[in-house]
Amino acid sequence: FVPWDYDATFGRSWDASRLSPERWMSNHLFDRLLGNDTYRRKYMARWRELRQGTFAVTNIARMMDENVAALGVAAKRNEQRWDTYNGPYPDQLTFEEDVKEMKAWLVVRHRWMDRQLARLTGLSVAESQTGTGAPGGSDAASHSAKDQR
């Protein structure tokens, strides 16, 4: 999937500013739930399971690519209609650049979440089981290079 308007998702805040992939956004319910040992074990087991399929970086990137294809020329028409280069988005990215940034953010986010969840639950997520490999050779470097503009 590629959200058409992805405020507060995939590395963007509500005001379109960048969010670090290494930061929790929480109402603290998650913190309270992790205080329960049974919940913590079940949560980590489910996280491992999802990282093998539904939440694997390669799977999410594939869904993004499918939606980019489905949007087709509509994304270009949107850029022309709403002139995002002079709008509220501070980095003035094209649709293609935005998608590339989302994918790079996703890789960093998944790796960070694996480490954080292992730390919070006391249960490890084996790196070989996490599906953190970046599709199409993407890596965190392309994300951080954009951040330094």
Side-chain angles (χ1 to χ4, degrees):
F1 58 93
V2 175
W4 190 268
D5 182 6
Y6 66 100
D7 295 345
T9 63
F10 290 95
R12 298 286 182 166
S13 183
W14 293 106
D15 65 359
S17 61
R18 293 182 190 281
L19 290 176
S20 169
E22 298 181 347
R23 173 182 170 207
W24 289 117
M25 294 182 72
S26 173
N27 64 5
H28 304 291
L29 173 61
F30 184 67
D31 302 332
R32 292 190 305 267
L33 289 170
L34 286 179
N36 179 293
D37 191 50
T38 302
Y39 177 85
R40 194 170 44 245
R41 281 193 308 275
K42 287 182 179 184
Y43 184 89
M44 194 58 156
R46 182 68 172 148
W47 176 251
R48 285 183 188 132
E49 178 186 335
L50 290 171
R51 290 288 279 121
Q52 291 297 305
T54 305
F55 287 179
V57 170
T58 52
N59 188 54
I60 295 172
R62 179 192 52 76
M63 289 188 290
M64 292 170 121
D65 290 339
E66 289 171 358
N67 282 291
V68 165
L71 290 172
V73 296
K76 290 291 181 198
R77 287 195 315 266
N78 184 67
E79 284 179 359
Q80 293 168 351
R81 169 66 175 94
W82 298 108
D83 191 22
T84 57
Y85 287 116
N86 297 311
Y89 293 94
D91 50 14
Q92 304 175 346
L93 299 177
T94 65
F95 178 72
E96 291 81 11
E97 291 169 331
D98 251 346
V99 171
K100 185 177 178 180
E101 291 242 338
M102 281 190 276
K103 287 179 179 181
W105 186 90
L106 181 67
V107 171
V108 176
R109 178 65 172 187
H110 273 68
R111 288 179 182 155
W112 180 81
M113 285 187 68
D114 288 341
R115 288 189 312 270
Q116 289 298 306
L117 291 173
R119 182 183 63 78
L120 291 170
T121 64
L123 304 169
S124 67
V125 179
E127 190 69 12
S128 63
Q129 295 179 324
T130 60
T132 57
S138 294
D139 63 13
S142 64
H143 186 267
S144 60
K146 291 277 188 188
D147 284 345
Q148 295 175 0
R149 278 203 223 173

